[in-house]
Amino acid sequence: MSIARTTGKLPVMAGAAAVAAVVVTGCSSTPGSTADTPAVTAPGSATSPGAAPTAVPTLQTSGAPAFGSPSSTPSGPPIPTGAALRDLLPTAATLPAGWTIKGDGNRTDTGVAVVEHPVAPLLPQEPCTQMRLAGTILSQGFRASGAMNEVYDGQNAVQVYLAAYHPGDAVKLLGEIRAYAERCKSFTGKGIDGKPVPLTVTQQPVPGLGDEALDLKKVPQGPYHSEEIVVTRIGDRLLFLSGDDILGRLPNFLQLATPLSKSVK
């Protein structure tokens, strides 16, 4: 990859679980997306995907409404479909100064159906070596709908993923993400050059952002690229902003997270 040679940053080897997770989302691969920067794999061991869900999620498919109502809380506020969430993603007109977008950012969404019975998160069983700090992967547990696109803070690509959940499930998933980061705060993966790569995962709360927010970083030792994701909870929605430092620095996530967290309510 020419960028890696220029910056001295090397990618880490792909993991089957990360690839499978991308397929589940139904999102197309775009530059800087999960398919371009996959997970590490444990040295000397075969890659195995996380545990598959025991039941296939059921979808609300009657008509083509802009919103769907969760069966568990029929009197509560409606859950937006992926198509509705897509309209809340950043555009050239709404991006902060210094940020850019190519076309519509290759926007994708989960359509006009809402998952009535979402699967439980796979993170409790997910190996540390499969960790990918990307919204298309971390959003999946409990998710009812989602949409994504990609923007740039001048040069660094940032994946924007917005997901909606049934009441209380966004809080549950954020707790699972915290537990996953704590369990995997130190592990050894394998670089694309075949060498073992020690990695450190850190997590910090982000005060004043949404109802609560978390900043996660996965940093390898040596000439390999680091990953970062900022997860913000806004009620029963989660906003994921993720990217890497393959161009020499990590993106300025908070510059985008602050205004976007107010516009996706």
Side-chain angles (χ1 to χ4, degrees):
M1 183 174 181
S2 59
I3 291 177
R5 288 195 296 270
T6 302
T7 62
K9 298 284 186 178
L10 296 176
V12 287
M13 292 184 68
V19 175
V22 177
V23 173
V24 170
T25 66
C27 297
S28 60
S29 175
T30 58
S33 69
T34 56
D36 296 324
T37 51
V40 294
T41 56
S45 65
T47 301
S48 58
T54 55
V56 177
T58 58
L59 300 178
Q60 173 182 310
T61 57
S62 57
F67 293 87
S69 300
S71 57
S72 57
T73 56
S75 61
I79 296 177
T81 65
L85 293 175
R86 177 174 176 168
D87 292 337
L88 301 177
L89 296 173
T91 65
T94 61
L95 283 171
W99 287 76
T100 60
I101 189 171
K102 296 178 181 178
D104 67 353
N106 294 317
R107 288 188 297 177
T108 59
D109 61 73
T110 54
V112 296
V114 170
V115 178
E116 292 289 353
H117 303 288
V119 298
L122 303 179
L123 296 182
Q125 292 80 38
E126 189 74 353
C128 296
T129 51
Q130 301 295 339
M131 179 180 286
R132 280 289 291 112
L133 299 188
T136 47
I137 293 176
L138 297 183
S139 68
Q140 290 185 38
F142 301 122
R143 187 184 61 194
S145 59
M148 68 163 284
N149 72 347
E150 186 176 78
V151 298
Y152 297 83
D153 70 340
Q155 63 176 6
N156 286 276
V158 173
Q159 182 195 88
V160 180
Y161 197 94
L162 179 60
Y165 300 83
H166 290 275
D169 283 351
V171 174
K172 293 178 185 177
L173 181 59
L174 196 54
E176 296 290 353
I177 292 172
R178 289 192 181 99
Y180 185 37
E182 176 63 24
R183 174 167 61 88
C184 299
K185 60 185 177 181
S186 180
F187 66 95
T188 299
K190 185 177 182 181
I192 197 168
D193 52 6
K195 297 179 180 179
V197 180
L199 295 104
T200 300
V201 177
T202 61
Q203 57 176 315
Q204 295 291 334
V206 185
L209 189 59
D211 294 312
E212 55 181 327
L214 185 65
D215 184 353
L216 299 179
K217 292 181 182 178
K218 187 178 74 173
V219 180
Q221 292 183 19
Y224 305 93
H225 69 260
S226 299
E227 298 174 3
E228 183 176 6
I229 190 167
V230 174
V231 187
T232 306
R233 184 177 68 82
I234 308 101
D236 291 309
R237 302 178 188 182
L238 289 177
L239 172 66
F240 300 81
L241 302 179
S242 59
D244 57 46
D245 67 348
I246 200 166
L247 294 182
R249 65 171 176 83
L250 288 164
N252 190 342
F253 296 103
L254 296 183
Q255 193 179 54
L256 179 62
T258 300
L260 192 54
S261 64
K262 297 175 182 178
S263 64
V264 299
K265 293 182 178 180

